[in-house]
């Protein structure tokens, strides 16, 4: 995308980061890309990704047209952007109870909402303040749906895509090595980490071990072992219901 597209997204109120092949190459969790960076450094081969602050916007990410058609009425009032395979539908975050990221809320549908989630854009977006509010029906669907379990083993390519594009703010193994991220994002990261491990077929004992490793790498963590294991227990109960 052109430099002017990046500047336009900034002008409209979005936080952005450059990406190549859908992957950021800057430490966008800590580096704020402003117009001065764009003016000095932007290259035409970069695409624009908008980065969620956790309280400003969220996206319903449809991987294909078939599932979009099935749920189209729920998102009919959103800002719809067509992607190469599916659709992104943008909304403003609910003020009282902001949403968080959900991977696979139903098959081929994700919710991008947590701080440091990012979405690659495919054209100009509306002003951030002009994004439509989600309908009550959409919010009911999101908050009352247990994420679906994948019915097949993931390919290596799919696992790479999950780690680089949809996992909460850090690749899976980066979480294990570096912890839960910035204070205020820990709950979201832990929840998604546990669900991702179940999706990849890890045993409960392995998830406990890896969760403790990630927590020990988080200097700002305040969780006890019992609290972490309780999160895993609750996730396992929901996961078992989907078997």
């Amino acid at each position: 995308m052109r430099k002017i597209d990046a500047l336009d997204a900034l002008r409209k109120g979005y936080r952005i980061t450059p990406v190549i092949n859908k992957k950021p190459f800057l430490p966008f969790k800590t580096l704020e890309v402003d117009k001065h960076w764009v003016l000095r450094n932007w290259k035409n081969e970069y695409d624009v990704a908008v980065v969620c602050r956790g309280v400003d916007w969220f996206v319903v990410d449809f991987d294909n047209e078939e599932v979009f058609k099935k749920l189209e009425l729920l998102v009919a009032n959103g800002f719809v952007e067509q992607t190469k395979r599916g659709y992104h539908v943008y909304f403003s975050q609910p003020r009282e109870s902001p949403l968080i990221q959900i991977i696979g809320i139903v098959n081929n549908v994700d919710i991008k909402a947590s701080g440091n989630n990012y979405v690659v854009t495919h054209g100009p977006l509306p002003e951030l303040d002009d994004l439509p509010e989600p309908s009550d029906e959409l919010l009911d669907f999101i908050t009352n749906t247990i994420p679906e379990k994948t019915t097949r083993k993931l390919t290596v390519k799919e696992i790479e895509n999950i780690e680089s594009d949809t996992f909460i703010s850090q690749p899976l193994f980066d979480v294990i090595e570096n912890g839960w991220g910035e204070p205020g994002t820990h709950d979201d990261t832990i929840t998604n980490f546990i669900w991702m491990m179940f999706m990849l077929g890890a045993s409960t004992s392995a998830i406990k071990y890896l969760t403790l490793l990630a927590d020990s790498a988080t200097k700002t963590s305040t969780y006890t072992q019992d609290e972490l294991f309780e999160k895993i227990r609750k996730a396992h109960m929901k996961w078992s219901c989907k078997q």
Side-chain angles (χ1 to χ4, degrees):
M1 281 190 169
R2 297 173 301 166
K3 184 178 294 187
I4 192 172
D5 298 314
L7 292 172
D8 183 58
L10 285 172
R11 180 188 64 79
K12 290 176 176 176
Y14 296 91
R15 184 180 168 212
I16 71 167
T17 194
V19 296
I20 298 176
N21 295 325
K22 299 177 67 174
K23 297 183 180 181
F25 55 88
L26 296 177
F28 65 92
K29 297 188 296 294
T30 56
L31 176 63
E32 192 85 15
V33 172
D34 58 17
K35 67 177 181 180
H36 300 294
W37 190 97
V38 172
L39 290 170
R40 295 168 183 165
N41 301 289
W42 198 269
K43 294 180 173 58
N44 285 337
E45 60 264 32
Y46 297 164
D47 287 320
V48 177
V50 288
V51 182
C52 187
R53 297 180 176 93
V55 294
D56 48 358
W57 57 266
F58 73 94
V59 160
V60 185
D61 184 1
F62 296 91
D63 283 349
N64 57 58
E65 185 162 0
E66 180 182 1
V67 69
F68 174 74
K69 291 298 184 183
K70 291 179 179 178
L71 298 174
E72 187 173 7
L73 289 178
L74 288 177
V75 298
N77 69 312
F79 175 78
V80 180
E81 175 186 64
Q82 188 166 9
T83 67
K84 291 182 179 179
R85 296 180 304 165
Y87 296 88
H88 292 156
V89 187
Y90 289 77
F91 294 94
S92 62
Q93 273 275 23
R95 292 185 180 182
E96 294 185 0
S97 300
L99 301 175
I100 62 172
Q101 175 174 276
I102 305 173
I103 301 300
I105 187 168
V106 296
N107 285 338
N108 298 308
V109 181
D110 300 327
I111 306 298
K112 304 289 187 67
S114 297
N116 290 326
N117 283 168
Y118 67 90
V119 175
V120 179
T121 64
H122 295 264
L125 298 177
E127 299 279 346
L128 179 59
D129 291 340
D130 292 338
L131 284 177
E133 296 181 358
S135 66
D136 291 340
E137 291 81 4
L138 176 59
L139 292 178
D140 286 342
F141 172 77
I142 292 173
T143 56
N144 295 298
T145 301
I146 298 174
E148 290 187 358
K149 174 184 178 293
T150 182
T151 56
R152 59 180 174 77
K153 289 188 177 294
L154 300 177
T155 66
V156 172
K157 183 63 177 177
E158 287 171 325
I159 291 173
E160 289 175 352
N161 287 338
I162 287 171
E163 291 177 5
S164 65
D165 184 34
T166 62
F167 193 65
I168 185 164
S169 61
Q170 308 162 24
L172 183 62
F173 297 108
D174 188 48
V175 173
I176 297 171
E177 183 178 1
N178 298 315
W180 308 130
E182 298 297 319
T185 67
H186 293 181
D187 271 343
D188 292 349
T189 309
I190 293 169
T191 298
N192 283 271
F193 177 82
I194 293 170
W195 273 100
M196 189 62 65
M197 295 303 294
F198 278 126
M199 285 182 66
L200 295 177
S203 66
T204 301
S205 59
I207 294 173
K208 287 181 177 180
Y209 174 73
L210 293 173
T211 300
L212 290 177
L213 278 181
D215 193 67
S216 66
T218 310
K219 295 181 180 179
T220 55
S221 175
T222 59
Y223 297 100
T224 65
Q225 177 175 298
D226 288 344
E227 288 173 334
L228 293 170
F229 285 0
E230 179 65 10
K231 289 179 179 291
I232 296 170
R233 185 189 70 80
K234 289 180 178 179
H236 184 260
M237 288 179 63
K238 291 182 179 180
W239 185 258
S240 297
C241 291
K242 303 299 292 182
Q243 301 298 310

